[in-house]
Amino acid sequence: MNSGADEDAPALAAQEMLAAGRSEEEVFAELAARTGEWGVCALAVCSALGIPRPEAEARLRELQPIFPEFAVGEEELVADVLRWGHMFVVDRVLDERGERIRDLLGTAAGARGGWPGSLLGWFRGGELRKIFLYFAKTRFRDGRGSPPDFWAAMTTAGELLANDAGPDRPEVTAALAHCHAQAVALGVRQGLGAGSEATAADQGGDRATEDGDAEHTDPGRDRRESVVHPSASTAF
């Protein structure tokens, strides 16, 4: 078998596993455990996802230096690191409406006073409803952020998202009602959209946290994030 065929084999295997419903991390971990060629397998998964080779190689150059931190048998941990490092994110080009929603959620992220670095992959991948539902759980604390700006942007984004059909539409509608109630409670004037200065007078901002932060209690998370996102919860 020639070298070209050798390079193609992992990508073909990755395509088959992805088509069978396996996640990118599962595919990488299995191929990496099978071959021991972690870099090759990471590029193979990217190829199967349609990520251009130069972009995949650039991502790998940023993440490959942390491979020595892990040993054979820890391929699943390496897969988590690649996920945190957005190795397998497929950048999504949105239409004008989608970009508007993404911009609103970006405004909300900034007004929130902090956000997990892992959400960058959702922003790049256009996972707008996931971001909205995650941010809708925000609670403000510690005098950081701007709650009025946050809830104004979230309400406008939610109004746009609530028009879309989907299995999570009831969740989006309920989250929108919550965002609207929070905005009204703060005296935010409606209809001005994200980025407006429409806030209640002298409302103090608070640092945001989420319900569901228990998902961050994975004992391997500190190790993974220390090498990928040393300041994952910093603001824009």
Side-chain angles (χ1 to χ4, degrees):
M1 185 179 294
N2 60 40
S3 60
D6 289 341
E7 292 179 0
D8 290 342
L12 292 174
Q15 286 179 345
E16 292 176 358
M17 286 189 276
L18 289 171
R22 306 282 294 278
S23 72
E24 293 89 347
E25 294 80 20
E26 289 173 333
V27 172
F28 167 81
E30 181 170 326
L31 290 176
R34 185 190 305 171
T35 67
E37 299 287 341
W38 294 357
V40 171
C41 293
L43 292 176
V45 176
C46 287
S47 176
L49 291 168
I51 297 170
R53 180 78 178 204
E55 171 64 20
E57 290 177 342
R59 296 180 187 183
L60 182 60
R61 280 195 296 272
E62 293 184 1
L63 295 169
Q64 200 162 23
I66 65 178
F67 284 1
E69 299 286 332
F70 300 90
V72 173
E74 294 187 312
E75 287 80 11
E76 290 185 1
L77 286 176
V78 177
D80 282 344
V81 168
L82 295 178
R83 174 171 59 86
W84 284 103
H86 312 126
M87 182 72 196
F88 305 129
V89 171
V90 179
D91 290 318
R92 182 180 175 188
V93 177
L94 301 174
D95 58 19
E96 183 177 352
R97 177 177 171 280
E99 286 294 348
R100 168 66 171 156
I101 297 171
R102 182 151 58 186
D103 287 346
L104 286 163
L105 293 172
T107 297
R112 191 170 173 274
W115 59 293
S118 57
L119 264 65
L120 179 59
W122 287 359
F123 274 102
R124 291 177 58 178
E127 300 284 356
L128 306 180
R129 299 169 81 85
K130 287 184 179 180
I131 299 167
F132 175 74
L133 291 172
Y134 184 89
F135 278 176
K137 299 176 182 178
T138 295
R139 296 177 179 177
F140 285 92
R141 300 173 184 164
D142 302 337
R144 296 189 184 183
S146 175
D149 288 338
F150 175 82
W151 294 117
M154 285 289 289
T155 298
T156 305
E159 288 170 347
L160 292 170
L161 289 169
N163 291 325
D164 296 337
D168 59 355
R169 187 173 185 178
E171 295 177 68
V172 171
T173 301
L176 170 58
H178 171 70
C179 294
H180 183 266
Q182 294 296 314
V184 170
L186 291 170
V188 175
R189 288 178 285 141
Q190 298 300 302
L192 296 180
S196 73
E197 298 300 321
T199 64
D202 301 323
Q203 287 289 341
D206 299 302
R207 181 171 180 78
T209 61
E210 301 77 33
D211 298 335
D213 269 347
E215 69 185 21
H216 293 167
T217 60
D218 174 4
R221 177 176 180 265
D222 290 342
R223 183 180 177 191
R224 296 190 295 269
E225 286 206 326
S226 67
V227 293
V228 179
H229 293 300
S231 57
S233 62
T234 57
F236 279 161

